[in-house]
Amino acid sequence: GESVGLHLPTLSVQEGDNSIINCAYSNSASDYFIWYKQESGKGPQFIIDIRSNMDKRQGQRVTVLLNKTVKHLSLQIAATQPGDSAVYFCAESPNPNSGGYQKVTFGTGTKLQVIP
Amino acid sequence: EAGVAQSPRYKIIEKRQSVAFWCNPISGHATLYWYQQILGQGPKLLIQFQNNGVVDDSQLPKDRFSAERLKGVDSTLKIQPAKLEDSAVYLCASSRGAGANVLTFGAGSRLTVL
């Protein structure tokens, strides 16, 4: 399928190394943050999320760090594998427990290329 | 559970023609989203439904785009007439409700306008 990452920033990483993908967000009211992975020809797939009352959350081989002071989010992938090659999007949402609807806004994305 | 189903996967039309996309969300998911993803960009929300009501259509070009979710289950997105700049992937997603829920996306419908 046609790549979704033709004009996106690209991060090239050697297989087995750790990857760090960064994201800056602009809305100070955002309280819930999500990382999605999008492979070519597919829709975005949830990886990990974090709420604003946390600064770090770990999953399987992935860690998300949140710095609300500078409105910065990062995704760390340990021991990067060829299957991790994809476009990664951060997404933000206002407080999901406010009783209102959840509006999810996506960033521009980063293409991760894993070199075997 | 079955995923979000979308059709058609690919569509090629000429400008000024019309096109419709269909989405069937995950069973029981109250919230349905349509996103537009232009090549090289992140998905942009077009419209969001909570059951069969619209909660956000602020970025939907209403002069040419329309969407409905009549029975609160599946949804259609229509473009009439299409413009060259409408060439994009149209992604449908669903989530359980209005709170903090993970969006599950379909594979998308790729539209090419010639």
Side-chain angles (χ1 to χ4, degrees), chain A residues 2-4 6-8 32 36 38 41-44 46 49 51 89 96-97 100-104 106-108, chain B residues 9 33 35 37 39-43 45 48 55-56 58-59 91 95 98-103 105-107 110:
Chain A
E2 189 175 351
S3 169
V4 298
L6 283 182
H7 307 292
L8 294 169
Y32 176 57
Y36 284 88
Q38 187 173 27
K42 298 182 179 179
F46 171 85
D49 58 0
R51 300 199 184 189
F89 293 98
N97 296 319
Y101 68 90
Q102 179 187 229
K103 179 173 182 175
V104 181
F106 283 75
T108 54
Chain B
R9 284 298 314 274
Y33 309 76
Y35 281 85
Q37 187 175 27
L39 187 66
Q41 298 181 16
L45 180 68
Q48 179 176 348
V55 295
D56 189 341
S58 57
Q59 297 192 89
L91 294 162
S95 67
N101 295 290
V102 172
L103 271 63
F105 283 84
R110 180 178 296 278

Side-chain angles (χ1 to χ4, degrees), chain A residues 15-92:
Chain A
E15 181 179 356
D17 288 351
N18 297 333
S19 303
I20 300 176
I21 300 171
N22 296 303
C23 175
Y25 64 94
S26 56
N27 188 351
S28 302
S30 292
D31 277 304
Y32 176 57
F33 304 88
I34 318 102
W35 280 100
Y36 284 88
K37 171 186 180 183
Q38 187 173 27
E39 296 175 282
S40 184
K42 298 182 179 179
Q45 180 184 17
F46 171 85
I47 302 173
I48 192 168
D49 58 0
I50 188 168
R51 300 199 184 189
S52 60
N53 59 351
M54 303 172 68
D55 54 18
K56 179 179 180 179
R57 190 168 187 215
Q58 289 184 293
Q60 188 176 13
R61 282 201 308 119
V62 295
T63 300
V64 56
L65 299 177
L66 174 64
N67 185 332
K68 288 199 72 178
T69 303
V70 295
K71 291 188 280 188
H72 183 268
L73 196 65
S74 69
L75 177 70
Q76 300 179 359
I77 304 174
T80 312
Q81 302 169 359
D84 295 327
S85 293
V87 176
Y88 290 80
F89 293 98
C90 65
E92 58 184 294

Side-chain angles (χ1 to χ4, degrees), chain A residues 101 103 105, chain B residues 34 44-49 54-63:
Chain A
Y101 68 90
K103 179 173 182 175
T105 303
Chain B
W34 282 103
K44 182 186 86 171
L45 180 68
L46 291 176
I47 189 167
Q48 179 176 348
F49 293 93
V54 176
V55 295
D56 189 341
D57 63 357
S58 57
Q59 297 192 89
L60 187 74
K62 298 179 186 65
D63 58 333

Side-chain angles (χ1 to χ4, degrees), chain B residues 20-37:
Chain B
F21 302 112
W22 174 82
C23 172
N24 190 27
I26 291 174
S27 178
H29 278 195
T31 309
L32 185 147
Y33 309 76
W34 282 103
Y35 281 85
Q36 179 194 57
Q37 187 175 27

Side-chain angles (χ1 to χ4, degrees), chain B:
Chain B
E1 61 184 358
V4 176
Q6 289 190 246
S7 67
R9 284 298 314 274
Y10 304 94
K11 188 74 177 179
I12 300 173
I13 61 174
E14 295 187 349
K15 59 183 179 184
R16 292 187 289 273
Q17 287 187 322
S18 62
V19 63
F21 302 112
W22 174 82
C23 172
N24 190 27
I26 291 174
S27 178
H29 278 195
T31 309
L32 185 147
Y33 309 76
W34 282 103
Y35 281 85
Q36 179 194 57
Q37 187 175 27
I38 292 172
L39 187 66
Q41 298 181 16
K44 182 186 86 171
L45 180 68
L46 291 176
I47 189 167
Q48 179 176 348
F49 293 93
Q50 186 71 19
N51 297 307
N52 61 347
V54 176
V55 295
D56 189 341
D57 63 357
S58 57
Q59 297 192 89
L60 187 74
K62 298 179 186 65
D63 58 333
R64 299 183 300 105
F65 286 64
S66 65
E68 59 184 16
R69 193 185 184 198
L70 292 175
K71 297 182 180 179
V73 181
D74 56 352
S75 175
T76 55
L77 175 70
K78 296 180 181 178
I79 308 174
Q80 181 179 16
K83 293 185 175 181
L84 297 177
E85 59 261 36
D86 298 332
S87 293
V89 175
Y90 291 86
L91 294 162
C92 179
S94 68
S95 67
R96 282 200 180 89
N101 295 290
V102 172
L103 271 63
T104 302
F105 283 84
S109 295
R110 180 178 296 278
L111 173 66
T112 302
V113 183
L114 303 176

